[in-house]
Amino acid sequence: MLMSSLLLGGLFLHQPLVAVPLIALVALLYWLVKHNYKFWEIEGVPYPKPSLLTGNLGPTLSLKKHISELASDWYNAYADKPFVGYFKIFTPAIMVKDPVLVKNILTRDFDCFANNDILMDKHQDPLLAHNPTLATGDRWKRSRAMLTPSFTGAKIKQLFPVMESVADAFVTFIGRQVGQELEAKEIAARFTTQNIVACTFSIDGDCFAERESEFRRMGRRVFDTSHLATLKMMMAVFLPTVAKYIPVPFLLKEVDEWIRSLVANLIIQRSAAEGTVEEDLLQSFLKNKEKSNATQTEITAHALTIFLEGFETSSNVLGFNLYRLAKSPEVQQKLYEELKSKIDANGGRLDFDVMQQLDYLDW
């Protein structure tokens, strides 16, 4: 600010006709920015004081703090408030804290909160553009309508034996690692990848047999991006107007071609198959294809969505749970006792209905 004032002062002394309108423009911009930062004050919402050019994201933009650390700071600073306002550079945003409000936003009122910060260009990212987490407007409604029938309670119950067989293979895999140090996130990712591949494609993902199976490798590649795509990702969150003019896809061409080839070959195999076909999630999409008038690109996009969302998010949660259980043997023992009592009461069988009765596990 001091340097800018000196430059404007010097310009005013030597070129007053140029300096006057320039100073007026700078003053106007300054007023607009300061007025914009009164948004939450006018609305009566508590908020941390923003910086002039970066809002409340200065520490994140300068790589000093992750956005989750900032969120934790705001959460603790306004411990008794149901929500906290902040500024993503110049854009007002809100962090909801109250559990009831969070539940309503994610369920009953979700139609009003469906849009994500990252706007996908369907021409640059034709597969990711159909991901309900990233889609907006009518495309979000269509994607949600196409995915929902495949995730009913009855469908999940039908897939439970598949999940159980994967869990048994996982136990065997863990048994071979006794006495070794394991990274919780990695073994969780192996399990969730094997599980989601089996439930979606009825394929053995080889996640317990090989150190680096095809599906684990591609699962990592999904999150690899070019430097320009990384820049675009940051711009999409902080400066979305600029981001849409960066003509680069988020999804690598290698991953795009791989998932398209995988789904296309499976569809050909199932079309030529005689007799029954595995009732997995892909088959569920194919059954609803005519009803929803779905294209193969949409079916492939939804298969990618399930693969991506199914293994990564679950492995994060499971990895932390495995770590915490290992660090808390008393919790592990209590969970074991609950499982054993419910399984014994069910004749020694763990099935879908028993899973619904595990209150301590669910808690």
Side-chain angles (χ1 to χ4, degrees):
M1 290 294 292
L2 178 61
M3 184 62 68
S4 299
S5 300
L6 291 174
L7 289 173
L8 288 174
L11 183 63
F12 183 78
L13 290 175
H14 295 91
Q15 297 286 340
L17 294 179
V18 175
V20 170
L22 185 59
I23 291 172
L25 178 61
V26 170
L28 176 61
L29 291 174
Y30 179 79
W31 180 86
L32 288 173
V33 170
K34 295 293 286 185
H35 181 73
N36 178 70
Y37 284 151
K38 291 183 178 180
F39 179 86
W40 289 123
E41 181 181 342
I42 293 171
E43 296 295 329
V45 175
Y47 66 101
K49 183 179 179 181
S51 298
L52 185 63
L53 298 179
T54 58
N56 295 112
L57 300 183
T60 297
L61 295 175
S62 61
L63 304 181
K64 292 180 179 179
K65 276 190 175 183
H66 190 273
I67 183 66
S68 61
E69 293 179 281
L70 290 181
S72 179
D73 291 343
W74 303 333
Y75 188 98
N76 294 324
Y78 300 92
D80 60 335
K81 304 298 181 182
F83 40 77
V84 178
Y86 67 100
F87 291 90
K88 293 188 295 185
I89 303 186
F90 303 123
T91 305
I94 196 163
M95 180 179 75
V96 182
K97 297 170 52 186
D98 181 73
V100 176
L101 286 177
V102 171
K103 182 179 179 181
N104 290 341
I105 289 170
L106 295 177
T107 54
R108 187 191 69 189
D109 303 322
F110 191 70
D111 285 0
C112 301
F113 297 92
N115 287 357
N116 196 288
D117 278 336
I118 302 172
L119 301 178
M120 283 291 162
D121 187 319
K122 65 180 181 180
H123 300 294
Q124 294 175 9
D125 277 292
L127 296 183
L128 291 181
H130 292 288
N131 185 318
T133 306
L134 303 172
T136 57
D138 291 337
R139 194 161 62 244
W140 171 78
K141 292 179 181 178
R142 177 171 171 77
S143 296
R144 186 175 183 233
M146 291 175 66
L147 282 168
T148 300
S150 299
F151 291 94
T152 62
K155 185 64 180 178
I156 300 302
K157 188 173 183 178
Q158 182 184 23
L159 290 171
F160 189 82
V162 178
M163 302 179 200
E164 189 175 22
S165 67
V166 172
D168 289 341
F170 183 60
V171 171
T172 302
F173 167 73
I174 293 296
R176 298 197 302 266
Q177 317 300 317
V178 173
Q180 301 181 38
E181 185 175 292
L182 299 174
E183 205 287 305
K185 173 63 167 63
E186 173 56 26
I187 61 172
R190 286 192 178 208
F191 171 74
T192 56
T193 302
Q194 182 80 359
N195 188 57
I196 204 65
V197 169
C199 291
T200 307
F201 306 117
S202 297
I203 293 176
D204 180 359
D206 290 330
C207 297
F208 304 141
E210 299 179 16
R211 180 60 188 168
E212 183 73 348
S213 70
E214 175 188 2
F215 286 96
R216 281 296 297 125
R217 184 174 67 83
M218 297 312 295
R220 291 189 181 92
R221 293 292 284 161
V222 167
F223 295 99
D224 289 341
T225 57
S226 65
H227 295 305
L228 192 57
T230 301
L231 174 63
K232 182 178 178 179
M233 179 72 75
M234 292 183 63
M235 289 293 186
V237 175
F238 304 126
L239 294 169
T241 306
V242 176
K244 66 182 181 180
Y245 293 108
I246 302 178
V248 59
F250 289 110
L251 192 66
L252 293 177
K253 184 179 180 181
E254 176 191 0
V255 179
D256 184 286
E257 293 177 346
W258 169 76
I259 192 67
R260 286 179 187 273
S261 175
L262 173 66
V263 172
N265 288 333
L266 286 172
I267 291 175
I268 292 172
Q269 291 173 17
R270 296 183 184 200
S271 299
E274 297 180 0
T276 59
V277 178
E278 295 290 346
E279 291 296 329
D280 53 26
L281 294 173
L282 176 61
Q283 193 61 26
S284 178
F285 296 154
L286 295 176
K287 280 186 173 181
N288 294 323
K289 181 178 180 181
E290 291 186 7
K291 181 180 178 181
S292 59
N293 195 27
T295 64
Q296 185 154 321
T297 294
E298 287 179 308
I299 292 174
T300 304
H302 295 323
L304 176 63
T305 294
I306 294 175
F307 175 65
L308 172 62
E309 306 290 349
F311 95 83
E312 178 62 17
T313 53
S314 300
S315 66
N316 282 330
V317 174
L318 183 59
F320 277 113
N321 281 341
L322 290 174
Y323 176 76
R324 293 310 308 169
L325 284 172
K327 298 285 285 186
S328 308
E330 70 284 356
V331 175
Q332 187 177 155
Q333 182 63 30
K334 186 175 180 179
L335 179 59
Y336 169 77
E337 291 171 359
E338 180 188 56
L339 281 163
K340 189 174 186 305
S341 66
K342 297 295 184 182
I343 292 173
D344 289 346
N346 194 47
R349 292 177 293 106
L350 175 65
D351 56 27
F352 182 81
D353 293 326
V354 170
M355 289 293 294
Q356 311 312 304
Q357 302 169 23
L358 300 174
D359 297 330
Y360 188 63
L361 176 66
D362 188 52
W363 180 85

